[in-house]
Amino acid sequence: MKKVITYGTFDLFHEGHYNLLKRAKALGDYLIVGVTTEYYDRQRGKLNVLNSLLDRVENVRKTGLADEIIVEDHEGQKPEDIQKMGVDIFTVGSDWVGTFDYLKEFCQVVYLERTPEISSSVLRANKFPIVQVGVVGCGRIVPRFLAEAKFVSGVNVGAVYNPHRENVLPFGKKYKLEPYYEEFDEFLKQVNAIYIASPHETHYDYAKMAISRGRHVLCEKPLAFSVGQAEELYHLAKEKGVVLTEGIKTAFCPGFMQMMNLARSGIIGEVRDVEACFSRITPPGLREMADDQYGGAFLEFGSYTLLPIFKLLGCHYENVEFDSILAENGVDLYSKIHFRFKHALAMSKTGIGVKSEGQLVIAGTGGYILAESPWWLTKSFEVRYEDPTKIDKYSPKFLGDGLRYEIADFVSKINGIERISYCLTQEESVAMAGVVEKFMEERKRQKEGQPA
Ligand code: C2G
């Protein structure tokens, strides 16, 4: 008996999939079909699969072509399956020519001609209109955002707004975006969502205007400078039925979520301390250094360091204390924020004029988690215990510079696929605005030389 195996996501099952399975079956006597899990698809960069694993398996089953259906959930599984199941032929569509030649060591490899002009991506695009995004601001992050958005299907970035004509015209030309600099409303008319990457102090106003006009908003951190402002924006978004996401990219990175869930699983006992540090020595001319009102280390990096603290210890701290080293113009070069929770402590350290070890340490009653720099992308972390020889190492998959995960989550929410904001909850985002609010009051006091 000749055994054939093939693998796929089989999202929005279509004719191309059916043809592939039919020809795969005809190659032998017994067809095994491996259907990928959501986890594995995310790992390999397929970020917006619509059907659940059960539905996709069911659709393959309904063809009546598969003699056996298995689940593919990790890289390296194909040679395992082939050897374990005594497979004679591995087959896949011609979009993969060459990729699986390494399997020739174990069995015959056949690439079948792909059915033209049909794909899950096209079906997804028909099911959901492409989200047209406009960017507000021409800062350093925008080119990165544009590059990463290309990896997320269902989204097109086509316009840019900046009130300064002299900035937006060359920027629009360089990145092939329609430039707008006069009427913000005119810009909004061209898009159904915006990405706000303008200076910090303008976030709230732009977000409010866009949400009021029924546009979805992905806003760079910090979303707002007070609890009142943040709550107002979230309420308005709910009322208008639009998505509002604060763009703290760490929250959406797959490894970060895995690390948070592991910490919550009890593997290190009860979490008693979270220490997070992010620093980058910044040249004097840059906005973070030069803007005496809204520059500084905490406003630049604090959202990253507060994130694991609030995720693991909750948003209700008993006490918070700030301490900063200020430059002559008043920006904080280095800030330490100490939190007291009922059963735990936490520390956020951010620097633009002081360099420290950029690490995250989550201490528990039975061990600790250590994530080295760049922990905010979470490419790897370790779980350590009292016994120094026992170390569990984790290396989650991470693609690009992280922004694609945030963009994919935003688009999924707009399409109504992911309804719950578990990566970054509204409560966490509002609590961060609360720390920003207290920090600004504290810095004002410090600048004026008043006692706390
Ligand atoms: N396919 C096809 N014609 C199309 C579309 C898809 O022949 N118009 C084939 C693909 O080449 C693949 C199978 O149908 O062999 C499933 O396609 P997908 O669901 O897109 O899965 P894919 O990402 O190709 O997964 O481990 C997974 C495998 O590597 C392939």
Side-chain angles (χ1 to χ4, degrees):
M1 186 173 73
K2 220 180 209 176
K3 276 192 179 177
V4 182
I5 197 163
T6 190
Y7 296 85
T9 306
F10 304 105
D11 191 29
L12 302 175
F13 198 90
H14 56 67
E15 195 193 330
H17 296 143
Y18 185 83
N19 290 342
L20 187 284
L21 293 180
K22 206 167 136 195
R23 284 171 297 152
K25 172 88 173 181
L27 289 173
D29 312 301
Y30 188 84
L31 178 64
I32 306 162
V33 181
V35 182
T36 54
T37 60
E38 279 143 54
Y39 171 77
Y40 180 49
D41 275 326
R42 282 187 82 83
Q43 294 261 310
R44 65 192 188 110
K46 272 195 162 180
L47 299 180
N48 43 9
V49 173
L50 293 181
N51 292 150
S52 70
L53 173 61
L54 283 183
D55 285 347
R56 291 182 285 117
V57 167
E58 181 56 16
N59 287 338
V60 170
R61 193 194 61 77
K62 278 199 292 208
T63 63
L65 294 164
D67 296 288
E68 193 174 339
I69 299 176
I70 59 168
V71 164
E72 184 184 29
D73 73 349
H74 63 269
E75 202 153 344
Q77 185 179 322
K78 290 184 180 80
E80 282 167 28
D81 291 339
I82 290 167
Q83 292 173 87
K84 199 167 64 189
M85 303 172 97
V87 168
D88 303 285
I89 300 174
F90 165 86
T91 188
V92 70
S94 54
D95 41 330
W96 292 101
V97 168
T99 311
F100 296 110
D101 286 356
Y102 70 95
L103 295 174
K104 286 180 183 162
E105 195 183 315
F106 310 102
C107 66
Q108 195 187 334
V109 173
V110 178
Y111 297 103
L112 292 169
E113 203 50 49
R114 195 181 148 85
T115 308
E117 283 159 29
I118 179 135
S119 74
S120 308
S121 311
V122 169
L123 292 177
R124 271 194 290 268
N126 290 343
K127 201 168 157 110
F128 298 109
I130 302 276
V131 178
Q132 298 294 346
V133 177
V135 179
V136 182
C138 308
R140 280 166 277 158
I141 186 115
V142 178
R144 283 169 50 201
F145 179 87
L146 296 173
E148 286 281 299
K150 295 204 167 67
F151 291 93
V152 181
S153 55
V155 60
N156 176 52
V157 189
V160 58
Y161 174 86
N162 184 322
H164 307 290
R165 187 174 183 269
E166 65 283 10
N167 292 342
V168 79
L169 291 183
F171 192 88
K173 196 167 174 207
K174 182 166 178 193
Y175 293 102
K176 299 192 173 55
L177 303 172
E178 191 68 38
Y180 290 84
Y181 49 90
E182 273 166 353
E183 290 297 303
F184 190 62
D185 261 347
E186 282 306 306
F187 161 74
L188 287 181
K189 278 184 197 152
Q190 311 307 315
V191 298
N192 37 37
I194 63 166
Y195 169 58
I196 303 177
S198 50
H200 297 335
E201 68 278 16
T202 63
H203 290 178
Y204 164 79
D205 284 335
Y206 283 130
K208 192 171 166 182
M209 279 192 277
I211 297 168
S212 304
R213 284 157 185 74
R215 301 300 185 270
H216 305 285
V217 171
L218 173 59
C219 182
E220 263 307 321
K221 66 206 168 42
L223 171 67
F225 278 83
S226 69
V227 167
Q229 282 185 344
E231 280 180 341
E232 184 195 345
L233 292 177
Y234 281 109
H235 286 152
L236 194 58
K238 193 167 177 207
E239 192 187 305
K240 294 283 177 185
V242 297
V243 174
L244 168 62
T245 299
E246 184 172 6
I248 303 173
K249 68 171 185 288
T250 305
F252 305 91
C253 290
F256 182 75
M257 199 42 90
Q258 186 187 3
M259 178 166 61
M260 293 298 103
N261 289 336
L262 209 64
R264 286 189 277 226
S265 74
I267 195 170
I268 55 164
E270 299 285 330
V271 176
R272 290 284 182 258
D273 188 25
V274 179
E275 275 193 15
C277 176
F278 194 135
S279 69
R280 185 191 297 142
I281 298 280
T282 306
L286 290 185
R287 175 188 46 78
E288 300 91 294
M289 281 290 197
D291 183 346
D292 58 0
Q293 274 255 43
Y294 300 102
F298 175 68
L299 288 183
E300 200 56 28
F301 301 131
S303 306
Y304 298 126
T305 48
L306 295 183
L307 181 68
I309 296 175
F310 288 155
K311 279 237 169 271
L312 295 174
L313 302 175
C315 298
H316 304 286
Y317 45 88
E318 291 180 340
N319 188 42
V320 57
E321 282 168 26
F322 301 86
D323 218 342
S324 299
I325 293 169
L326 303 185
E328 267 180 21
N329 67 355
V331 306
D332 62 310
L333 296 171
Y334 188 60
S335 283
K336 277 186 167 184
I337 305 180
H338 181 264
F339 293 90
R340 167 87 224 190
F341 289 81
K342 191 161 184 219
H343 298 294
L345 305 175
M347 171 77 85
S348 145
K349 291 200 287 185
T350 47
I352 55 171
V354 172
K355 186 72 192 166
S356 185
E357 183 65 48
Q359 62 182 16
L360 169 66
V361 184
I362 303 163
T365 51
Y368 66 100
I369 294 178
L370 172 66
E372 303 279 8
S373 163
W375 62 263
W376 46 92
L377 304 180
T378 326
K379 295 176 179 177
S380 67
F381 61 91
E382 294 181 359
V383 184
R384 298 183 177 185
Y385 306 90
E386 188 61 45
D387 175 357
T389 60
K390 194 178 162 214
I391 297 177
D392 300 327
K393 291 182 195 279
Y394 292 82
S395 310
K397 184 89 171 205
F398 176 84
L399 299 166
D401 74 357
L403 280 171
R404 69 186 62 179
Y405 300 108
E406 168 185 309
I407 303 169
D409 185 274
F410 182 58
V411 173
S412 292
K413 284 213 200 75
I414 292 174
N415 289 336
I417 302 158
E418 293 194 19
R419 284 169 204 87
I420 299 169
S421 301
Y422 65 96
C423 290
L424 178 66
T425 66
Q426 179 176 324
E427 191 191 12
E428 287 156 359
S429 171
V430 170
M432 287 188 195
V435 181
V436 170
E437 185 171 4
K438 290 196 177 80
F439 176 82
M440 296 303 276
E441 284 164 11
E442 183 65 27
R443 223 182 65 183
K444 199 165 158 235
R445 251 201 303 271
Q446 208 182 348
K447 257 174 153 174
E448 290 165 0
Q450 293 171 12

